[in-house]
Amino acid sequence: MASSLSGLSSAFKLQNPTPNKSPLARVDSAYFPARSKLLDRFSVQSVAKEIPANRSKPKNETLKEDIKKGLEKDPRELWRRYVDWLYQHRELGLYLDVSRVGFTDEFVAEMEPRFQAAFRAMEKLEKGAIANPDEGRMVGHYWLRNSGLAPSKYLRSQIDATFDAVCSFAADVVCGKIKPPSSPEGRFTHILSVGIGGSALGPQFVAEALAPDNPPLKIRFIDNTDPAGIDHQIAQLGPELASTLVIVISKSGGTPETRNGLLEVQKAFREAGLDFAKQVFISGSCFCFCVFLALQSSEYKSQGVAITQENSLLDNTARIEGWLARFPMFDWVGGRTSELSSVGLLPAALQGIDIKEMIAGASLMDEANRTTVVRNNPAALLALCWYWASDGVGSKDMVVLPYKDSLLLFSRYLQQLVMESIGKEFDLDGNRVNQGLTVYGNKGSTDQHAYIQQLREGVHNFFATFIEVLRDRPPGHDWELEPGVTCGDYLFGMLQGTRSALYSNDRESITVTVQEVTPRSVGAMIALYERAVGIYASLVNINAYHQPGVEAGKKAAGEVLALQKRVLQVLNEASCKDPVEPLTLDEVAERCHAPEDIEMIYKIIAHMAANDRALIAEGSCGSPRSIKVFLGECNLDEMYV
Ligand SMILES: O=P(O)(O)OC[C@H]1O[C@H](O)[C@H](O)[C@@H](O)[C@@H]1O
């Protein structure tokens, strides 16, 4: 057995590189003096082998050639740059390495006035200025982790009271004081969170990053209006639906996907013979919810919990009906910056995550980001790198590579935070700028087996952000899978090797390092990127806090559904004739008085036919001009609508 195992391990063992190190190895030995031995085991030579033959010149010449490209390649110089620019937040144990981004001292000096202006704007924002001018709103997510910053006593008390209410409410649910209506002796075991965008991405990221293996309540998400996806989540809950707390999250209350999710969940409760109203309340037909929990317990009458903006329909409904509690959802907290509001804190607390630590981490990071010295301000350093790497116009994408499975959803979270904030058509002066910064990525080292090939050698249209987590396993749980090497060493080596391999081919990268994934470090990373986005938006003179482009899509979707209603009406009229009159697309379009929408009418009919809601009497959807369509049955009620 041993021999076969050793045979196996030697088969997998990475080949030791040849003695004369490649330029890459020299770069790495400068970067990781204490760890270069480990990197040797990653056959750094094999990476160097990929460098095209015409570059197999003597090291010095190669280095000279690279330096001409503007990126420093001398290991000694790189080490100096690394040390000079290394940012450390001692209390958080967080590091930021920007040494592999090639900004020059001249560039930093040139940007200084804009950074000072950004710092002044951020200071005014935190003091309560209307920092979202297009919507006439303050921007106050930083106040959530330091209510003393809020510009009024009223807001300060609201923030503190809400946080306390979240804590005590979650504690009552977790300890079983608040129970499911259908099992008074039991306790809630699951959360079903219904929400989309900022009302889902933060809670999803934090659940994946921080939920313990056996949380007091397991969370599931419905974050789309996909019936199959909703059915899957309900099916996964099975009989546990009876002990599921349904949280519906929608700040505006006007998001159709979320409303649909709520209505679908209600139906599932009815079909399971459960009294939905006792586990979630809705405000009647006009769906205008923010975040609320409704539940029934032995101590309470059928009560709901609502989180909503002051005096919204939901707020009034909850007050009049005497719901269990109402958490205020503030209009000065945007969806993409709401993870540290009740939107994110409530689901997190119900999963046993220490939300006080999340807030503490974010608060420490906020404080660090208030310095006006760029090189001591981690958020400013990120913004500096983003601007340099993407020319201040988003010319390169931000590839986010956490080398930690639990941070898998960080890039999805950052996609909304960065792209919905920066991706704007006009700047604050009304100039058309079409700004943006594209974010993608999953996790390392997994992504090395997917698209790192293109990053290393293909189109140079990105810069990388590595998220390094130093602690591989809790103390006492690690082991060496080969002499002197643990599984985590491989992960570490893959990160460093990829960073070196990219840099050796002039691909720039940033590295954020934390000790481990904890509520504090996650809170700090959320705060770091929220602030970096705000500073960067100032540098490029845009409003980071509105999202006009989203409304366009919502409006267009509404028009498609309105057209569908007309198509249904026309088909119904034709189907109620005797004999039934199947219609061509042209006839449907004409009777809808929408000849210019014939393509959309065709798509509507094809979708309905695929769901057995329209019948293709002649022809096939593959030949649109051939089809004749009618409805399976006549609905006389609809005839006179
Ligand atoms: O929380 P809701 O009001 O339902 O909004 C959910 C999402 O809707 C839109 O897509 C907005 O652009 C997002 O910022 C928001 O997070």
Side-chain angles (χ1 to χ4, degrees), residues 196-199 249-255 258 335-336 416 420 547 550 554:
I196 196 168
S199 295
I249 305 177
S250 173
K251 175 185 172 184
S252 65
T255 306
T258 308
R336 53 190 176 273
Q416 188 200 19
E420 196 167 71
Q547 50 284 329
V550 177
K554 279 184 185 174

